[in-house]
Amino acid sequence: MLENNGQKQNDKQKHYRGQIIKALSGFYYIEENQTGQIYQTRGRGNFRQKDQSPLVGDWVEFVADNDQEGLVTAIAERKNAMIRPPVANVDLAFLVASVTDPTISPKLIDRYLVYIESLGIQPVLYLSKLDLLTENQVQDVDQLIALYQEIGYAVFTSEQDLSQSQTLKDLVQDKVVVAVGQSGVGKSTFLNEILPVGDIATAEISKRLGRGRHTTRHSELHDVFGGKFADTPGFSNISIDYIPKEDLDNYLPEFFALKGQCKFRECTHQHEPKCAVKAALAAGQISQQRYDSYVQMYQEIASAKPQYNKRK
Ligand SMILES: Nc1nc2c(ncn2[C@@H]2O[C@H](COP(=O)(O)OP(=O)(O)OP(=O)(O)O)[C@@H](O)[C@H]2O)c(=O)[nH]1
Ligand SMILES: [Mg+2]
Ligand SMILES: [Zn+2]
């Protein structure tokens, strides 16, 4: 008889497939394919040796000898895997950025967008805390929204009632979606607003209970609009130096659209003559802010120390 993680396999054990919807304290919670039942499982020891640990969003095979507990035995090949937040097979990412408290800089928004694009995931913007703006800040935020819409990104805001939004439904249906962004920007709040039963703890709720700030500590998929939407812990240090510098322009859509028209095939859009990107910048078709973000990220990548075993 085989032994896995100290658990003896026995005759009652059955084989199942499902998707990991939550990972917490060494347990993986799997929604079984046929019944939708949730099994609490552990990973098999040898995943760790292979440097392959199960992630939320993974499709897995598992064995269980009762309705509740089991053991993950295999992870299906992934379409992609985000390290931060740790979610696999992601189709769509809501970049959540607060316009105040904390005010998120456009440079940081651009950085998150490049990170998401580089993983082959479709980004969408959600701007929160518009209700806290003073009158003279409103115009700046309107410009920000217009800028990203012109590039082609869908932009949602906290001013909209999204709980019944058909546009949002069409975007989310049948997809694995993550909310990405710094801590405190309102990811859990946004998700609560669109969930059929919005009961995720947010800072406000725990303040009322006198327990101080509530911050999300694990990733979890929730059923919403016919898709799976992950609330995840916030993070702000995004490493982009795994991106080859010559590929960076692939991840800014308005640069990507023009790069074929630059005179030099390896154009970095900085010092070269007859650069279509710089021409578009001069003509006001590419924004100075996006161009500055690009140059800053390019220089950061170019000056990064070469690393081995960089994550993809
Ligand atoms: N006024 C206002 N407050 C908001 C809005 N969105 C979120 N908040 C508040 O901002 C605080 C942080 O919100 P959370 O939803 O917990 O933030 P989070 O992004 O999930 O943070 P982490 O879980 O730490 O990553 C809470 O007090 C929310 O009530 C908004 O649109 N307007
Ligand atoms: Mg949260
Ligand atoms: Zn160029």
Side-chain angles (χ1 to χ4, degrees):
M1 204 169 266
L2 287 171
E3 260 193 5
N4 289 321
N5 278 357
Q7 281 185 336
K8 284 207 183 344
Q9 291 207 347
N10 61 41
D11 299 339
K12 283 195 288 178
Q13 234 169 24
K14 286 197 194 146
H15 292 254
Y16 299 98
R17 285 168 199 273
Q19 186 174 34
I20 301 182
I21 58 157
K22 175 163 90 167
L24 191 62
S25 311
F27 288 105
Y28 302 102
Y29 296 82
I30 305 175
E31 185 178 302
E32 200 271 324
N33 267 357
Q34 309 284 321
T35 60
Q37 169 144 2
I38 309 296
Y39 288 77
Q40 177 180 315
T41 68
R42 287 200 175 272
R44 205 146 98 168
N46 64 4
F47 285 136
R48 230 161 274 145
Q49 286 152 27
K50 282 196 213 148
D51 199 19
Q52 197 191 35
S53 56
L55 288 174
V56 168
D58 265 330
W59 291 98
V60 295
E61 293 176 19
F62 64 104
V63 291
D65 61 8
N66 62 51
D67 281 358
Q68 248 122 64
E69 286 161 53
L71 193 66
V72 178
T73 54
I75 305 172
E77 200 182 324
R78 292 169 180 155
K79 165 177 163 171
N80 57 36
M82 296 183 91
I83 306 295
R84 309 189 79 182
V87 183
N89 301 315
V90 179
D91 301 297
L92 184 74
F94 271 83
L95 168 51
V96 180
S98 50
V99 293
T100 182
D101 192 24
T103 307
I104 300 216
S105 74
K107 282 230 165 72
L108 188 56
I109 294 179
D110 292 334
R111 211 177 159 81
Y112 275 111
L113 288 174
V114 161
Y115 168 66
I116 296 165
E117 295 268 13
S118 76
L119 297 169
I121 297 166
Q122 182 190 348
V124 173
L125 259 167
Y126 176 82
L127 299 179
S128 67
K129 311 200 187 185
L130 269 71
D131 56 303
L132 299 179
L133 290 176
T134 60
E135 233 166 84
N136 45 13
Q137 291 172 313
V138 170
Q139 209 184 348
D140 289 348
V141 171
D142 285 345
Q143 276 175 9
L144 197 72
I145 294 171
L147 165 63
Y148 288 104
Q149 281 176 335
E150 268 166 42
I151 296 168
Y153 292 120
V155 183
F156 296 91
T157 76
S158 55
E159 296 285 84
Q160 296 166 289
D161 175 11
L162 294 171
S163 59
Q164 312 290 331
S165 164
Q166 188 60 40
T167 320
L168 198 60
K169 186 167 189 231
D170 292 343
L171 262 173
V172 168
Q173 189 143 28
D174 299 324
K175 293 195 181 130
V176 171
V177 186
V178 293
V180 174
Q182 279 184 309
S183 185
V185 291
K187 296 180 295 298
S188 301
T189 305
F190 166 47
L191 199 47
N192 266 337
E193 198 186 299
I194 56 172
L195 281 179
V197 184
D199 58 358
I200 303 172
T202 63
E204 213 165 54
I205 292 169
S206 54
K207 240 185 257 160
R208 220 187 298 137
L209 296 173
R211 274 197 267 117
R213 196 178 150 66
H214 185 97
T215 186
T216 307
R217 298 197 192 283
H218 68 276
S219 300
E220 180 168 353
L221 296 178
H222 300 270
D223 288 306
V224 59
F225 290 144
K228 295 272 187 212
F229 207 128
D231 190 23
T232 68
F235 65 94
S236 48
N237 329 332
I238 321 155
S239 159
I240 50 156
D241 58 13
Y242 61 91
I243 299 173
K245 58 184 185 310
E246 50 283 354
D247 290 352
L248 180 63
D249 54 10
N250 293 340
Y251 307 128
L252 295 101
E254 74 276 41
F255 286 51
F256 179 70
L258 288 172
K259 67 185 271 194
Q261 295 167 38
C262 294
K263 178 160 194 245
F264 296 101
R265 214 161 61 92
E266 302 287 298
C267 187
T268 70
H269 322 303
Q270 290 169 75
H271 320 291
E272 297 85 348
K274 305 217 164 139
C275 165
V277 170
K278 279 206 301 187
L281 175 69
Q285 289 148 357
I286 279 185
S287 91
Q288 188 68 45
Q289 173 219 307
R290 293 277 290 175
Y291 185 77
D292 292 347
S293 291
Y294 166 79
V295 171
Q296 194 180 47
M297 287 187 273
Y298 187 94
Q299 285 168 356
E300 180 184 326
I301 295 169
S303 62
K305 289 203 190 81
Q307 276 174 35
Y308 298 96
N309 301 324
K310 267 187 197 173
R311 56 164 291 254
K312 236 177 60 192

